[in-house]
Amino acid sequence: MIPSPSIRPYRREDRPALDDICIRTAHNGQDSRPLYRDPSVLPAIFAAPYVHLEPGLAFVLDDGRGRAVGYILGVADTERFARDFRTAWLPLVADRYPEPSGPPGTRDEEMARLLHRPERMSVPELAAYPAHLHIDLLPDWQGLGHGRELMRALLEALDDRGVPAVHLVMMKANEPARAFYDRMGFHEIEARIDDSVVCLGRSTRDRDRL
């Protein structure tokens, strides 16, 4: 029989695959490896701390052979996650990715600065959307409906925990991702962060409309 892809909970052995997916999709959905001296800083910010601190809200797209080819990662309480990132995650990776002593001069240094500033996730305008998420799929697995199923899995898990709404922060330049989130029922939230990004949010309910 031909293996069938499926959505399943994250397993610890998925960690290398998640790091790889993050790196290969981090530049507005494209491969980030040509742009960074050490692209492993990207999953150290946007993937690994999520499965380390809140693995119960991580789901993967399994290719049917046990390999993760996409994921959605969430946290139920962004304020708590930012604190845990500071106290429980950053000490594990800070030595490998030191904070720049001055203004960042490279993309690697820009990411290292983000890593060392988890408080950036605390945005007052997003308080009504306490959860947040990251979702990525390898290019060959995009556009097939798997992103929708990953989103449904996370929203259901958040709703089961009593979390009313979720947000995400994305680069404005990533037009395909914005089109996807619009189809998923996300709307724009006015928040003062950075002119290069936009904040989107939605209820964890009304999943039948996905």
Side-chain angles (χ1 to χ4, degrees):
M1 295 180 61
I2 298 174
S4 179
S6 63
I7 307 300
R8 62 167 172 80
Y10 165 81
R11 299 193 292 247
R12 183 174 295 181
E13 57 265 32
D14 296 322
R15 169 72 186 277
L18 265 60
D19 287 359
D20 181 61
I21 295 165
C22 180
I23 289 169
R24 291 168 63 188
T25 59
H27 182 59
N28 291 332
Q30 303 299 313
D31 195 341
S32 68
R33 287 175 292 185
L35 304 175
Y36 291 86
R37 181 183 60 81
D38 183 2
S40 69
V41 68
L42 296 163
I45 303 168
F46 301 116
Y50 290 81
V51 297
H52 181 76
L53 297 172
E54 202 147 2
L57 289 175
F59 300 90
V60 305
L61 171 63
D62 188 307
D63 68 355
R65 297 179 174 86
R67 182 174 71 104
V69 292
Y71 60 72
I72 191 165
L73 312 173
V75 301
D77 183 335
T78 298
E79 299 292 324
R80 184 184 66 215
F81 179 75
R83 293 193 297 270
D84 292 345
F85 193 112
R86 166 69 63 190
T87 60
W89 174 251
L90 191 54
L92 302 178
V93 295
D95 288 346
R96 179 169 180 179
Y97 312 105
E99 185 173 14
S101 58
T106 65
R107 290 179 185 266
D108 291 73
E109 290 183 350
E110 288 174 359
M111 289 299 109
R113 174 154 290 186
L114 283 182
L115 173 70
H116 284 266
R117 297 186 176 184
E119 292 77 18
R120 64 189 159 75
M121 291 183 272
S122 180
V123 180
E125 294 91 340
L126 300 176
Y129 303 81
H132 77 265
L133 67 85
H134 293 283
I135 181 171
D136 291 296
L137 294 94
L138 292 176
D140 288 348
W141 294 89
Q142 296 174 13
L144 302 174
H146 301 305
R148 185 182 302 272
E149 294 307 311
L150 284 167
M151 187 69 70
R152 192 187 302 276
L154 178 62
L155 293 178
E156 181 177 356
L158 289 171
D159 189 21
D160 287 346
R161 294 190 182 198
V163 182
V166 61
H167 76 267
L168 60 93
V169 180
M170 61 164 288
M171 299 297 294
K172 289 180 179 178
N174 194 345
E175 295 180 2
R178 178 59 190 269
F180 168 75
Y181 293 127
D182 287 346
R183 293 194 299 273
M184 295 299 101
F186 283 79
H187 58 268
E188 193 162 333
I189 308 168
E190 291 293 332
R192 295 182 296 275
I193 299 182
D194 183 302
D195 289 341
S196 66
V197 301
V198 61
C199 299
L200 305 176
R202 65 153 288 162
S203 167
T204 58
R205 300 182 178 179
D206 301 323
R207 294 186 297 277
D208 292 340
R209 297 163 61 183
L210 288 176

